[in-house]
Amino acid sequence: MARKVPEINSSSQADIAFLLLCFFLMTTSMDVDYGITRRLPPPVEQNDEDVKVKERNVMNVKVNKSDKLLVNGRPSDITLLKDEAKRFMTPRPNDETAPEVETKHFDLVGDVLMSKGVISLQNDRGTSYAMYISVQNELARAFNELKEEMAWQKFHKHLDQLSEEQTKAINEAVPVRVSEAEPVEIGASN
């Protein structure tokens, strides 16, 4: 006579696995705030005339397929980009080589001396994604530091301590002026 092998009742194991899955889904946070936040400009109306921008108002940043950085035609390093961008965007009314400046009035902030500078970014089609993100991060850091300085100057608070209205005023007074051109082949020698 064959002996019966004792069995373990596994009918509740599926229920327990489902409960564990629900528990981990409910208690795990999934951060999805990654990426680059940029507001796209409105569509450009077709215009037959070219817009003339003064050369002194544009900082050209180019990245070639070898991930080499070129700032205004000169080789540069990613570690210097934030400071170069920040210096370029800081209003310097008495410097003829700096971008032009204008004074604008903003609610809560008052009159602000603003740079008319624009940072023009262009990548090669072969630029690595890591370098592209690094360049974007450094430019974002430059503008964030300018905003932080303005927040401290106008409200004596850090940017993250401002009210929603104050933050909006700072963002208007220090706009992120980065123009990204379509990728082209820049070349290894640049």
Side-chain angles (χ1 to χ4, degrees), residues 30-31 33 38 69 72-73 82 90 98 104 107 117 124 139-140 151 162 172 174 179 185-187:
M30 296 184 194
D31 294 331
D33 295 345
R38 289 279 187 265
L69 192 63
N72 287 334
K82 176 195 60 100
T90 300
K104 285 191 176 180
D107 293 338
D124 188 279
L139 294 177
L162 298 180
E172 289 175 356
V174 185
S179 171
E185 289 191 26
I186 296 174

mmCIF file of all heavy atoms in Angstrom, residues 30-31 33 38 69 72-73 82 90 98 104 107 117 124 139-140 151 162 172 174 179 185-187:
data_model
loop_
_atom_site.group_PDB
_atom_site.id
_atom_site.type_symbol
_atom_site.label_atom_id
_atom_site.label_comp_id
_atom_site.label_asym_id
_atom_site.label_seq_id
_atom_site.Cartn_x
_atom_site.Cartn_y
_atom_site.Cartn_z
ATOM 1 N N MET A 30 7.051 56.792 -5.590
ATOM 2 C CA MET A 30 7.635 56.731 -6.922
ATOM 3 C C MET A 30 7.840 58.157 -7.399
ATOM 4 O O MET A 30 6.887 58.838 -7.754
ATOM 5 C CB MET A 30 6.725 55.965 -7.875
ATOM 6 C CG MET A 30 6.559 54.527 -7.485
ATOM 7 S SD MET A 30 5.589 53.661 -8.702
ATOM 8 C CE MET A 30 5.221 52.183 -7.811
ATOM 9 N N ASP A 31 9.086 58.604 -7.351
ATOM 10 C CA ASP A 31 9.395 59.957 -7.786
ATOM 11 C C ASP A 31 9.423 60.001 -9.306
ATOM 12 O O ASP A 31 10.131 59.247 -9.947
ATOM 13 C CB ASP A 31 10.749 60.399 -7.240
ATOM 14 C CG ASP A 31 10.740 60.522 -5.726
ATOM 15 O OD1 ASP A 31 9.662 60.809 -5.191
ATOM 16 O OD2 ASP A 31 11.795 60.333 -5.108
ATOM 17 N N ASP A 33 9.623 63.240 -10.792
ATOM 18 C CA ASP A 33 9.969 64.625 -11.059
ATOM 19 C C ASP A 33 11.320 64.769 -11.735
ATOM 20 O O ASP A 33 12.004 65.765 -11.567
ATOM 21 C CB ASP A 33 9.968 65.428 -9.761
ATOM 22 C CG ASP A 33 8.594 65.517 -9.148
ATOM 23 O OD1 ASP A 33 7.623 65.220 -9.860
ATOM 24 O OD2 ASP A 33 8.491 65.873 -7.972
ATOM 25 N N ARG A 38 11.603 72.965 -18.987
ATOM 26 C CA ARG A 38 11.769 74.104 -19.881
ATOM 27 C C ARG A 38 10.402 74.462 -20.431
ATOM 28 O O ARG A 38 9.619 73.590 -20.812
ATOM 29 C CB ARG A 38 12.677 73.765 -21.073
ATOM 30 C CG ARG A 38 14.117 73.594 -20.736
ATOM 31 C CD ARG A 38 14.789 74.959 -20.630
ATOM 32 N NE ARG A 38 16.200 74.811 -20.468
ATOM 33 C CZ ARG A 38 16.819 74.806 -19.306
ATOM 34 N NH1 ARG A 38 16.133 74.900 -18.203
ATOM 35 N NH2 ARG A 38 18.116 74.681 -19.231
ATOM 36 N N LEU A 69 33.194 71.211 -25.333
ATOM 37 C CA LEU A 69 32.373 72.405 -25.164
ATOM 38 C C LEU A 69 33.074 73.612 -25.767
ATOM 39 O O LEU A 69 34.280 73.802 -25.585
ATOM 40 C CB LEU A 69 32.159 72.614 -23.663
ATOM 41 C CG LEU A 69 31.121 73.609 -23.205
ATOM 42 C CD1 LEU A 69 29.734 73.168 -23.656
ATOM 43 C CD2 LEU A 69 31.151 73.721 -21.695
ATOM 44 N N ASN A 72 31.353 80.786 -26.994
ATOM 45 C CA ASN A 72 31.714 81.958 -27.803
ATOM 46 C C ASN A 72 32.975 81.709 -28.634
ATOM 47 O O ASN A 72 33.860 82.551 -28.727
ATOM 48 C CB ASN A 72 31.884 83.200 -26.925
ATOM 49 C CG ASN A 72 30.547 83.707 -26.427
ATOM 50 O OD1 ASN A 72 29.509 83.486 -27.047
ATOM 51 N ND2 ASN A 72 30.564 84.361 -25.292
ATOM 52 N N GLY A 73 33.055 80.514 -29.219
ATOM 53 C CA GLY A 73 34.146 80.185 -30.120
ATOM 54 C C GLY A 73 35.423 79.725 -29.454
ATOM 55 O O GLY A 73 36.387 79.416 -30.136
ATOM 56 N N LYS A 82 28.682 77.081 -15.645
ATOM 57 C CA LYS A 82 27.736 77.771 -14.753
ATOM 58 C C LYS A 82 28.208 79.194 -14.472
ATOM 59 O O LYS A 82 27.443 80.147 -14.591
ATOM 60 C CB LYS A 82 27.549 77.007 -13.455
ATOM 61 C CG LYS A 82 26.653 77.747 -12.455
ATOM 62 C CD LYS A 82 26.725 77.214 -11.052
ATOM 63 C CE LYS A 82 28.069 77.273 -10.449
ATOM 64 N NZ LYS A 82 28.367 78.357 -9.542
ATOM 65 N N THR A 90 24.436 88.378 -15.698
ATOM 66 C CA THR A 90 24.402 89.404 -14.655
ATOM 67 C C THR A 90 24.498 90.778 -15.314
ATOM 68 O O THR A 90 25.439 91.033 -16.071
ATOM 69 C CB THR A 90 25.569 89.211 -13.665
ATOM 70 O OG1 THR A 90 25.445 87.921 -13.069
ATOM 71 C CG2 THR A 90 25.552 90.272 -12.587
ATOM 72 N N ALA A 98 29.514 93.506 -22.344
ATOM 73 C CA ALA A 98 28.430 92.730 -21.739
ATOM 74 C C ALA A 98 27.128 92.961 -22.501
ATOM 75 O O ALA A 98 27.002 93.929 -23.256
ATOM 76 C CB ALA A 98 28.262 93.129 -20.278
ATOM 77 N N LYS A 104 13.057 97.210 -15.787
ATOM 78 C CA LYS A 104 11.630 96.871 -15.831
ATOM 79 C C LYS A 104 11.085 96.876 -14.417
ATOM 80 O O LYS A 104 11.798 96.598 -13.460
ATOM 81 C CB LYS A 104 11.409 95.491 -16.455
ATOM 82 C CG LYS A 104 11.565 95.445 -17.948
ATOM 83 C CD LYS A 104 11.083 94.127 -18.497
ATOM 84 C CE LYS A 104 11.140 94.103 -20.002
ATOM 85 N NZ LYS A 104 10.668 92.821 -20.541
ATOM 86 N N ASP A 107 5.735 93.760 -9.939
ATOM 87 C CA ASP A 107 5.033 93.805 -8.661
ATOM 88 C C ASP A 107 5.833 93.034 -7.623
ATOM 89 O O ASP A 107 6.455 92.018 -7.933
ATOM 90 C CB ASP A 107 3.622 93.201 -8.793
ATOM 91 C CG ASP A 107 2.717 94.046 -9.681
ATOM 92 O OD1 ASP A 107 3.002 95.248 -9.834
ATOM 93 O OD2 ASP A 107 1.735 93.501 -10.214
ATOM 94 N N GLY A 117 20.567 89.598 -22.427
ATOM 95 C CA GLY A 117 21.336 88.465 -22.919
ATOM 96 C C GLY A 117 20.506 87.213 -23.121
ATOM 97 O O GLY A 117 19.519 86.981 -22.438
ATOM 98 N N ASP A 124 25.737 68.866 -31.236
ATOM 99 C CA ASP A 124 25.957 68.022 -32.402
ATOM 100 C C ASP A 124 24.981 66.846 -32.297
ATOM 101 O O ASP A 124 24.577 66.468 -31.199
ATOM 102 C CB ASP A 124 27.398 67.512 -32.400
ATOM 103 C CG ASP A 124 27.758 66.796 -33.676
ATOM 104 O OD1 ASP A 124 27.405 65.612 -33.817
ATOM 105 O OD2 ASP A 124 28.403 67.422 -34.530
ATOM 106 N N LEU A 139 23.496 75.216 -16.905
ATOM 107 C CA LEU A 139 22.764 76.437 -17.258
ATOM 108 C C LEU A 139 21.633 76.684 -16.264
ATOM 109 O O LEU A 139 21.407 77.820 -15.830
ATOM 110 C CB LEU A 139 22.234 76.351 -18.688
ATOM 111 C CG LEU A 139 23.300 76.323 -19.789
ATOM 112 C CD1 LEU A 139 22.653 76.150 -21.159
ATOM 113 C CD2 LEU A 139 24.165 77.569 -19.752
ATOM 114 N N ALA A 140 20.924 75.625 -15.872
ATOM 115 C CA ALA A 140 19.852 75.766 -14.879
ATOM 116 C C ALA A 140 20.417 76.243 -13.542
ATOM 117 O O ALA A 140 19.811 77.086 -12.869
ATOM 118 C CB ALA A 140 19.114 74.442 -14.714
ATOM 119 N N ALA A 151 16.248 86.853 -4.727
ATOM 120 C CA ALA A 151 15.339 86.595 -3.607
ATOM 121 C C ALA A 151 15.933 87.130 -2.312
ATOM 122 O O ALA A 151 15.230 87.742 -1.498
ATOM 123 C CB ALA A 151 15.064 85.097 -3.493
ATOM 124 N N LEU A 162 10.177 81.578 -0.097
ATOM 125 C CA LEU A 162 9.295 82.625 -0.605
ATOM 126 C C LEU A 162 7.871 82.126 -0.760
ATOM 127 O O LEU A 162 7.624 80.938 -0.961
ATOM 128 C CB LEU A 162 9.795 83.130 -1.958
ATOM 129 C CG LEU A 162 11.174 83.776 -2.005
ATOM 130 C CD1 LEU A 162 11.494 84.213 -3.433
ATOM 131 C CD2 LEU A 162 11.263 84.956 -1.059
ATOM 132 N N GLU A 172 9.776 86.115 -12.922
ATOM 133 C CA GLU A 172 9.566 87.099 -13.986
ATOM 134 C C GLU A 172 10.758 88.044 -14.103
ATOM 135 O O GLU A 172 11.141 88.447 -15.189
ATOM 136 C CB GLU A 172 8.292 87.902 -13.721
ATOM 137 C CG GLU A 172 7.023 87.103 -13.922
ATOM 138 C CD GLU A 172 5.770 87.883 -13.528
ATOM 139 O OE1 GLU A 172 5.902 89.027 -13.028
ATOM 140 O OE2 GLU A 172 4.671 87.348 -13.707
ATOM 141 N N VAL A 174 13.878 87.342 -13.275
ATOM 142 C CA VAL A 174 15.069 86.608 -13.733
ATOM 143 C C VAL A 174 14.594 85.472 -14.644
ATOM 144 O O VAL A 174 14.545 84.313 -14.244
ATOM 145 C CB VAL A 174 15.886 86.047 -12.552
ATOM 146 C CG1 VAL A 174 17.167 85.397 -13.053
ATOM 147 C CG2 VAL A 174 16.207 87.129 -11.537
ATOM 148 N N SER A 179 18.075 79.625 -25.548
ATOM 149 C CA SER A 179 17.526 79.290 -26.854
ATOM 150 C C SER A 179 18.271 78.070 -27.369
ATOM 151 O O SER A 179 19.490 78.109 -27.531
ATOM 152 C CB SER A 179 17.702 80.468 -27.806
ATOM 153 O OG SER A 179 17.374 80.089 -29.117
ATOM 154 N N GLU A 185 25.773 68.950 -37.259
ATOM 155 C CA GLU A 185 27.110 68.387 -37.126
ATOM 156 C C GLU A 185 28.088 69.538 -36.898
ATOM 157 O O GLU A 185 28.317 70.344 -37.795
ATOM 158 C CB GLU A 185 27.478 67.569 -38.365
ATOM 159 C CG GLU A 185 26.692 66.285 -38.437
ATOM 160 C CD GLU A 185 27.219 65.343 -39.500
ATOM 161 O OE1 GLU A 185 28.408 65.420 -39.840
ATOM 162 O OE2 GLU A 185 26.418 64.531 -39.986
ATOM 163 N N ILE A 186 28.634 69.605 -35.693
ATOM 164 C CA ILE A 186 29.510 70.709 -35.320
ATOM 165 C C ILE A 186 30.950 70.430 -35.695
ATOM 166 O O ILE A 186 31.701 71.312 -36.046
ATOM 167 C CB ILE A 186 29.356 71.032 -33.815
ATOM 168 C CG1 ILE A 186 27.935 71.518 -33.569
ATOM 169 C CG2 ILE A 186 30.366 72.061 -33.360
ATOM 170 C CD1 ILE A 186 27.576 71.748 -32.137
ATOM 171 N N GLY A 187 31.355 69.172 -35.615
ATOM 172 C CA GLY A 187 32.726 68.828 -36.007
ATOM 173 C C GLY A 187 33.601 68.578 -34.800
ATOM 174 O O GLY A 187 33.429 69.161 -33.752
#
